[in-house]
Amino acid sequence: QVQLVESGGGLVQAGGSLRLSCADSGRTFSSHAMGWFRQAPGKEREFVSCVSWNGRTTYYATSVKGRCTISRDNAKNTVYLQLNSLKPEDTAVYYCAAGRPGTISRRSEDYDVWGQGTQVTVSS
């Protein structure tokens, strides 16, 4: 069973950085691709980034590419999202999610376990 808890969100000025973490308290973390999604007020949840089970394959949304790095440490059951050069439009609740074993996807429907989210607010 995968249970996910995000942390690392907060209030930051434009141009600043944050590192989000997502810890999995379950026992099968290394068998899942992991993804980060975000949802801004009044908008639909959108894909940010994902990483394969072994960390070798990563995908990024166009909106964050070049400013964002996803990584994972399977020994610590944790996935990270480093956000740099933050913009006010990055303001959202950020969610991590575990994909179904054997898949890596940009689609939220391919993820079946979600964390509770962590708020990121970027001031101008």
Side-chain angles (χ1 to χ4, degrees), residues 6-82:
E6 302 96 333
S7 61
L11 173 63
V12 63
Q13 289 187 332
S17 298
L18 283 174
R19 188 194 196 202
L20 308 184
S21 299
C22 174
D24 168 19
S25 61
R27 296 174 295 174
T28 61
F29 177 80
S30 62
S31 66
H32 297 266
M34 298 297 296
W36 285 95
F37 294 78
R38 67 186 182 185
Q39 188 167 20
K43 295 187 177 181
E44 293 186 353
R45 188 173 298 187
E46 64 175 3
F47 168 76
V48 177
S49 182
C50 60
V51 60
S52 60
W53 68 272
N54 58 7
R56 293 176 183 172
T57 301
T58 58
Y59 297 122
Y60 297 95
T62 301
S63 58
V64 300
K65 202 167 188 178
R67 303 188 293 121
C68 174
T69 302
I70 190 170
S71 60
R72 67 188 295 162
D73 185 339
N74 285 347
K76 295 182 178 180
N77 282 11
T78 302
V79 61
Y80 305 97
L81 188 71
Q82 178 70 41

